[in-house]
Amino acid sequence: MERCTLLANHVLTSEPAAVRRLQPHAGRCIQWILCDWPGALPPLPELSFVVTPAGLLEWCGPGTPPPSDLKVSVDMSNPARVFAQGLTGRRPQVDVSGDAGLAADVSWLMDNLRWDVQDDLARIVGQAGAAELARVGAALAAGLREAVDAVASLAARARGEADGLPASGPRAEQPVR
């Protein structure tokens, strides 16, 4: 979690407006609740973070976190879908409760803050190498997004058939061989 917090702070510091939005909330606690986390995956630690006076995040660590000023609940019943959405810049479905001002600023961060991976790679492999890696990464992300969407569609169709509902779409009329 310390490394994830470092990454989050790296992304925050790459956008000065993000840090400025968090600074007025210094000392407040944001709790991320991952709903319906699959039991087959290892459990995650408590995801509570305190906003520092510098406008960064500090993980509260395991144990009893301070009372949260904002709770952000994310449906994680399909972590692959949420990961694919993150890769493509789509915001996952979240429910927010708590301090309205903090909620507005966290919502702004989720809508506007992106990790510029290509810029970070350019520091290591140069501009040309970073551009090529970014191109390959974008193609992989697009393929992953299509695969996740296809699996979700198949799962929805299978649930419908299991519930006794007719399958929808053009393939429903074709006989199975």
Side-chain angles (χ1 to χ4, degrees):
M1 280 310 302
E2 290 90 357
R3 290 180 187 204
C4 289
T5 305
L6 285 173
L7 176 61
N9 285 331
H10 171 72
V11 174
L12 283 168
T13 57
S14 69
E15 182 57 57
V19 173
R20 283 193 303 273
R21 282 186 172 267
L22 284 179
Q23 283 175 331
H25 304 290
R28 294 192 174 163
C29 181
I30 303 168
Q31 180 183 18
W32 290 82
I33 302 166
L34 305 180
C35 303
D36 300 323
W37 183 255
L41 296 176
L44 293 176
E46 183 75 32
L47 299 175
S48 293
F49 300 88
V50 171
V51 179
T52 69
L56 301 175
L57 299 174
E58 182 179 332
W59 180 50
C60 295
T64 307
S68 57
D69 297 289
L70 183 70
K71 291 184 181 184
V72 182
S73 300
V74 182
D75 176 14
M76 292 299 291
S77 57
N78 186 342
R81 181 186 67 229
V82 173
F83 179 69
Q85 286 173 330
L87 284 176
T88 58
R90 288 189 283 172
R91 177 179 174 174
Q93 181 65 36
V94 298
D95 292 318
V96 180
S97 63
D99 181 83
L102 181 56
D105 287 333
V106 168
S107 180
W108 184 90
L109 292 174
M110 288 190 296
D111 288 339
N112 296 288
L113 195 61
R114 298 289 177 266
W115 180 18
D116 188 352
V117 178
Q118 185 174 342
D119 186 52
D120 284 345
L121 284 173
R123 294 181 192 139
I124 300 168
V125 298
Q127 278 303 109
E132 185 61 22
L133 287 170
R135 186 189 65 73
V136 170
L140 289 172
L144 179 61
R145 181 181 64 245
E146 288 178 22
V148 168
D149 289 345
V151 169
S153 176
L154 287 172
R157 186 176 297 151
R159 279 193 304 272
E161 290 173 0
D163 293 339
L165 301 173
S168 61
R171 294 181 184 233
E173 299 170 10
Q174 297 174 359
V176 177
R177 297 176 199 231

